[in-house]
Amino acid sequence: MHSWHISRDIEQASIAAAEFLGEKIMACIKQKDICHIALPGGNTPALCLSKLAEKDLPWRKIHWYLGDERCYPIGHEERNDVMLYKNLWSRINGEDDLSDRIHCVPAELGAERGAEAYRKLIDSIAGLDIAFLGMGEDGHTASLFPGNAALDDERSVVPVHDSPKAPDDRVSLSLKTLNDATHRLVLTAGSAKAEIIARIRQGENLPINLIGAINWFVDEAAMAE
Ligand code: 6PG
């Protein structure tokens, strides 16, 4: 069952999502003394991530993963890990070196080899505690696009080809991995997402409707239809 947290605008939705993430991370660490969290790509999460970095969290007990990565060379400006470093990891103060807790996807190896390598890592942990995701206007999440063969791949990490959103080749956590996460959070906003949100609320068979109960953080514009 989805739960909807509706805010006035993207800034308030981002702040609310960061608050939710902080609470869930702390609860997880209180219970397990560690937290495994997958992060989104795209443009929407930037403010939420920077607000999260401002919190006083036990950073050395958090392990960061990516929901997906684009098959570009290391350091390419369109890589999701470049966005995540800029908006989150570079802003975490008081910690000298978190590199052993930041698990980037070796998507520079290509979709097949990158997925194989990341799969070994994901299979070595007992599932994600939090999957923080974005959503595209076609109802995709991570790099799981409508009608794409990756949707039927039950391995934990899957290669993606023929992506309708550049680049063609990507690496993504699978539906199964996202479904198995303890908590799922999607932050999305803006009138451009209103039409797909309406379809999701009607239960349409879209990739994001296949990953289980979601805590949605949205603005009023995305809920306008
Ligand atoms: C990617 C993301 C993708 C993204 C959505 C939303 O690599 O593009 O992982 O799943 O989260 O497409 O993107 P925006 O936040 O830019 O709308």
Side-chain angles (χ1 to χ4, degrees), residues 99-127:
S99 58
D100 58 338
R101 285 155 174 74
I102 296 173
H103 308 288
C104 294
V105 181
E108 63 279 3
L109 301 176
E112 301 297 333
R113 288 181 57 211
E116 180 185 6
Y118 210 57
R119 189 178 303 130
K120 291 187 174 79
L121 173 67
I122 295 297
D123 289 347
S124 72
I125 64 173

Side-chain angles (χ1 to χ4, degrees), residues 150-208:
L151 289 168
D152 300 320
D153 190 331
E154 295 188 353
R155 294 173 294 180
S156 59
V157 181
V158 296
V160 178
H161 302 289
D162 306 318
S163 166
K165 179 177 182 182
D168 290 346
D169 286 354
R170 293 158 166 258
V171 176
S172 183
L173 298 184
S174 66
L175 285 177
K176 182 179 185 317
T177 299
L178 298 178
N179 214 344
D180 288 347
T182 304
H183 301 286
R184 276 164 297 280
L185 179 158
V186 171
L187 170 66
T188 195
S191 56
K193 302 286 175 69
E195 190 263 339
I196 195 66
I197 290 273
R199 292 164 58 190
I200 288 161
R201 292 174 72 94
Q202 288 159 10
E204 188 171 331
N205 183 31
L206 295 161
I208 199 153

Side-chain angles (χ1 to χ4, degrees), residues 39-45 67-70 78 80 133-138 140-145 165-167 170 187-189 193:
L39 296 173
N43 301 312
T44 303
D68 64 328
E69 185 57 281
R70 305 164 181 184
E78 289 300 312
N80 288 329
L133 299 162
M135 181 199 67
E137 296 173 27
D138 59 359
H140 80 258
T141 191
S143 285
L144 301 169
F145 295 91
K165 179 177 182 182
R170 293 158 166 258
L187 170 66
T188 195
K193 302 286 175 69

